[in-house]
Amino acid sequence: MAQEVVAIAASSKCMDCGAFHPQWASVTYGIVICLECSGVHRGLGVHISFVRSVSMDKWSEDQIKRMRVGGNAKATEFFKSHPDYRDGMSIQEKYNSEFARWYKDKLTADCDGRGWTRPPPSASKPSPAPTSSIQNRQAPPQSSYQMPSKAQNEDFFSRRGQENESRPLGLPPSQGGRYTGFGSPAPAAPPPSVADQLLADPMATLSKGWSFFAANASTAVGVISTTVKKGAEVAAAGAGSLGHQLSESVIKPTTAALADPNLTSTVARGLSSLQQQVTEGGSRGLSYVSSLVSSTT
């Protein structure tokens, strides 16, 4: 049975664009269309145009009968008989029109074997839209409101500011406290603690610590350098004083003693005295050791 539809398509052109060998059909109107126009028909929705493939889809007996009773020529003749039809209409305009709906109803009646009567021409024309009540409304009278002057604005905000100054501090505005938008600055937030700063930005904290250490180290080095310099000056001064004392108390007396002509006899007497003292000390020590040995035996 589908071969009958294929034969209808083979002997026709596209209903909408006139292309040869159309392979698609709109069962709603019993017409054949090309591939490109079939895509537009699908966009209209199946309630307006139900599209089928001539060779790839399965066809029912009712669908084939609709194609047999209809046809491109009958549809074109009916469309052109309507006063709203014009050449060059788009597919959307054509199949959303009143004459397309009329033809769909007529084709259904012909397939069912019942008659169909064309509605009167007046029914095809849309009734005029009711006049909007908005259009009948009169324009509202212009308001006599005038914009306040600069002086009035300044007086208004001045009074508001004075009222705000009388409100207590430390309370939210919802509890009668002072607003912060009338010139009074917002309360300063407490400074973050050291722990908070370290957690918030550890790298910045380490950088500050290193800068503090470097500054203190530089200061310490400066202090040590100054102290060493002063110590060197003091040592130099002390060395000069010590040299003067050595010169006065040792070097000069020794030089004078060496120049004494009686130095040799004085030295000889001193050595003889020293020898005598050493001999006596040795004798006493030997006697003491001998007595210790005798007492132990």
Side-chain angles (χ1 to χ4, degrees):
M1 292 185 294
Q3 293 299 323
E4 185 176 357
V5 180
V6 174
I8 294 173
S11 61
S12 304
K13 297 179 181 179
C14 176
M15 169 71 180
D16 298 319
C17 69
F20 291 97
H21 309 295
Q23 296 298 310
W24 295 84
S26 173
V27 182
T28 305
Y29 305 99
I31 58 176
V32 288
I33 53 180
C34 67
L35 175 63
E36 183 176 354
C37 293
S38 68
V40 183
H41 274 259
R42 286 195 184 92
L44 300 176
V46 295
H47 62 289
I48 295 178
S49 182
F50 181 64
V51 179
R52 303 288 287 174
S53 171
V54 171
S55 58
M56 293 183 294
D57 290 330
K58 293 182 179 180
W59 288 74
S60 65
E61 179 60 30
D62 292 338
Q63 293 171 348
I64 296 175
K65 184 178 181 181
R66 199 172 183 87
M67 296 299 297
R68 186 188 305 121
V69 174
N72 290 6
K74 292 182 179 180
T76 301
E77 181 181 1
F78 185 89
F79 288 177
K80 288 184 177 181
S81 67
H82 197 280
D84 291 343
Y85 178 85
R86 69 181 187 277
D87 293 335
M89 295 181 69
S90 66
I91 294 177
Q92 290 85 351
E93 292 176 329
K94 188 187 301 183
Y95 296 97
N96 279 296
S97 65
E98 185 66 40
F99 56 81
R101 290 192 290 272
W102 284 1
Y103 182 72
K104 179 175 62 175
D105 295 340
K106 179 181 182 303
L107 182 59
T108 301
D110 292 344
C111 291
D112 295 341
R114 53 184 174 85
W116 178 83
T117 303
R118 181 191 291 265
S122 59
S124 64
K125 297 181 181 179
S127 58
T131 304
S132 175
S133 58
I134 299 178
Q135 298 177 356
N136 297 329
R137 294 178 182 175
Q138 296 181 355
Q142 295 183 354
S143 174
S144 59
Y145 173 77
Q146 296 180 355
M147 294 294 292
S149 63
K150 181 179 179 181
Q152 290 175 335
N153 287 334
E154 291 179 352
D155 180 66
F156 172 78
F157 286 107
S158 176
R159 284 187 285 105
R160 290 297 186 185
Q162 293 176 0
E163 293 175 2
N164 186 61
E165 288 294 333
S166 63
R167 290 171 173 263
L169 293 173
L171 291 177
S174 60
Q175 299 179 6
R178 184 180 300 180
Y179 290 96
T180 60
F182 285 88
S184 59
S193 62
V194 177
D196 293 338
Q197 294 179 0
L198 179 60
L199 293 175
D201 195 350
M203 294 303 297
T205 305
L206 291 177
S207 177
K208 292 180 180 179
W210 177 255
S211 299
F212 179 76
F213 171 76
N216 289 342
S218 177
T219 303
V221 169
V223 172
I224 293 173
S225 176
T226 303
T227 304
V228 170
K229 183 178 179 181
K230 290 184 179 180
E233 293 176 355
V234 173
S241 177
L242 179 61
H244 178 73
Q245 293 179 1
L246 288 175
S247 176
E248 293 295 330
S249 60
V250 177
I251 296 176
K252 287 183 179 181
T254 302
T255 303
L258 292 175
D260 187 3
N262 298 322
L263 177 62
T264 303
S265 59
T266 302
V267 172
R269 287 196 300 271
L271 291 176
S272 175
S273 177
L274 178 61
Q275 180 180 5
Q276 183 179 0
Q277 291 177 5
V278 171
T279 301
E280 291 176 357
S283 298
R284 287 195 297 268
L286 180 60
S287 299
Y288 179 72
V289 171
S290 299
S291 63
L292 288 176
V293 172
S294 299
S295 63
T296 55
T297 56

